[in-house]
């Protein structure tokens, strides 16, 4: 008699992170643009952020985070079937940073590609990893969220330069037959009608690099922050509710809520709507600012290594970003 086996679920086997050493405080920014520590803290919760020196690019950050995640998972680079990098600040225009990372890790052959989903990049990568593992098309998947946003921020624009930071976070996913563990549900979505609210116009085929595009500052992030804020709260809440419903779990049954770290006020507003108690929300935006696709995996790695997330915990991930993209996942650790 053959044993009936359920299709596997994906679970996280190991995590890693890389933050550049250089700390830029709100006081440092006061010296550069017309802003104040008080404004930045009360409007965003941010106190400081990490900035990569010119010698470090997004691939360097990916490599360190990925090596840590592989070591934690007790796997070698050759064990990987798929390498994913969520980023809007790739090391090169092309090829994909995932391919550069593959070369750095000293492996070859497996599929490797980037996902451009703004701050939702890691969640999108998680969803792809989950799908590949469930379908049997991959056994081990490396998913990295990594950014050097400092390279595309206009350091003279106070409305954006105070918000962002550099960093990378990584997770290695593998299959589990345990019906109680792993990625229980995911919900990923996008609404392209909002793209003008958050974008970088230059460098693509619509506005290729030219002396004129540089003079116009088209290679910098453009954001209508207060408009983004409103949609962020609504969509973060919406996708998280959908994932909880799909998994049959209520907000107060979540052990950890790990939202994208863009703004403390957004995090608090979504947390209240979801009815997750304040002590179950992980926040590190005060230390790193908004690291876009890196924010959720950096938080996860801090929580795992800090002993906060333990086996059996229900962990709700939630992100929102340029596109607009949004996504949520519920994991039973
Ligand atoms: O990762 C996903 C994408 N991004 C986000 O999720 C960001 C979402 N948005 C936000 O976090 C907030 O909207 C911001 C933090 C960007 C801005 O906060 P806000 O409360 O929405 O402020 P605001 O844009 O409405 O600006 C209020 C005032 C303006 O002055 P006036 O017109 O009222 O005189 C701005 O010029 O604050 C001014 N301002 C600043 N003042 C000091 C804007 N930036 C600064 C600054 N320092 N850095």
């Amino acid at each position: 008699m053959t044993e009936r086996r359920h299709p596997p679920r994906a679970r996280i086997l190991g995590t890693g992170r890389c933050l550049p050493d250089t700390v830029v405080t709100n006081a440092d920014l006061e010296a550069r643009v017309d802003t104040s520590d008080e404004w930045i803290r009360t409007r965003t919760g941010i106190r400081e952020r990490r900035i990569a020196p010119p010698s470090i690019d997004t691939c360097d950050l990916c490599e360190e985070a990925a090596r840590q995640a592989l070591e934690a998972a007790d796997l070698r680079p050759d064990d990987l079937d798929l390498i994913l990098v969520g980023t809007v600040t790739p090391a090169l225009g092309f090829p994909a940073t995932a391919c550069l990372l593959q070369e750095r890790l000293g492996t070859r052959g497996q599929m490797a590609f980037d996902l451009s989903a703004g701050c939702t990049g890691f969640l999108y990568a998680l969803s792809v990893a989950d799908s590949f593992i469930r379908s049997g098309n991959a056994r081990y998947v490396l998913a990295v969220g990594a950014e050097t946003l400092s390279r595309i921020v206009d350091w003279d624009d106070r409305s954006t330069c105070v918000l962002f930071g550099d960093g990378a976070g990584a997770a290695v996913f593998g299959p589990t037959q345990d019906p109680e563990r792993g990625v229980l549900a995911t919900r990923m979505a996008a609404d392209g009608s909002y793209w003008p609210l958050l974008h970088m116009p230059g460098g693509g085929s619509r506005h290729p690099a030219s002396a004129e595009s540089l003079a116009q500052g088209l290679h910098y992030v453009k954001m209508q922050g207060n408009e983004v804020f409103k949609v962020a709260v609504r969509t973060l809440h919406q996708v998280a509710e959908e994932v909880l419903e799909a998994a049959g779990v209520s907000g107060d049954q979540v052990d950890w809520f790990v939202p994208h770290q863009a703004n403390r006020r957004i995090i608090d507003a979504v947390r209240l709507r979801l009815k997750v108690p304040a002590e179950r929300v992980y926040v590190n935006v005060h230390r790193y600012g908004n690291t876009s696709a890196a924010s959720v995996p950096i938080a996860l790695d801090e929580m795992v290594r800090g002993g906060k997330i333990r086996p059996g915990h229900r962990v709700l991930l939630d992100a929102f970003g340029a596109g607009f993209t949004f996504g949520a996942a519920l994991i039973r650790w």
Side-chain angles (χ1 to χ4, degrees), residues 97-272:
T97 301
C99 294
L100 307 180
L101 175 61
Q102 182 187 47
E103 188 252 357
R104 284 285 184 83
L105 294 175
T107 183
R108 62 176 70 182
Q110 61 278 85
M111 180 159 47
F113 63 95
D114 290 357
L115 297 94
S116 177
C119 307
T120 319
F122 178 78
L123 267 291
Y124 269 39
L126 177 154
S127 168
V128 172
D130 183 45
S131 300
F132 269 73
I133 290 170
R134 277 174 188 263
S135 65
N137 285 318
R139 189 163 170 78
Y140 298 117
V141 180
L142 170 66
V144 189
E147 305 284 6
T148 43
L149 287 158
S150 61
R151 305 281 160 80
I152 60 166
V153 159
D154 179 353
W155 287 96
D156 293 323
D157 173 11
R158 69 175 184 174
S159 71
T160 51
C161 77
V162 303
L163 303 174
F164 298 105
D166 300 337
V172 171
F173 293 82
T176 177
Q177 293 290 341
D178 185 340
E180 301 292 323
R181 296 183 80 179
V183 178
L184 303 183
T186 61
R187 170 84 175 109
M188 303 294 143
D191 185 340
S193 67
Y194 287 111
W195 76 262
L197 297 185
L198 177 52
H199 70 290
M200 184 178 80
S205 57
R206 196 170 289 181
H207 303 287
S210 65
E212 200 187 352
S213 73
L214 283 176
Q216 291 173 352
L218 299 188
H219 300 82
Y220 293 133
V221 174
K222 313 287 179 200
M223 182 168 76
Q224 291 175 44
N226 44 15
E227 292 301 314
V228 175
F229 191 107
K230 289 178 225 159
V231 190
V233 172
R234 181 164 52 77
T235 51
L236 281 165
H237 173 234
Q238 182 191 317
V239 279
E241 284 286 11
E242 286 172 12
V243 153
L244 290 175
E245 196 182 322
V249 170
S250 63
D252 60 4
Q253 291 175 319
V254 167
D255 294 290
W256 282 110
F257 177 44
V258 188
H260 169 49
Q261 308 283 316
N263 184 314
R264 179 73 207 228
R265 291 187 296 138
I266 295 177
I267 293 171
D268 289 342
V270 177
R271 195 267 305 151
L272 282 168

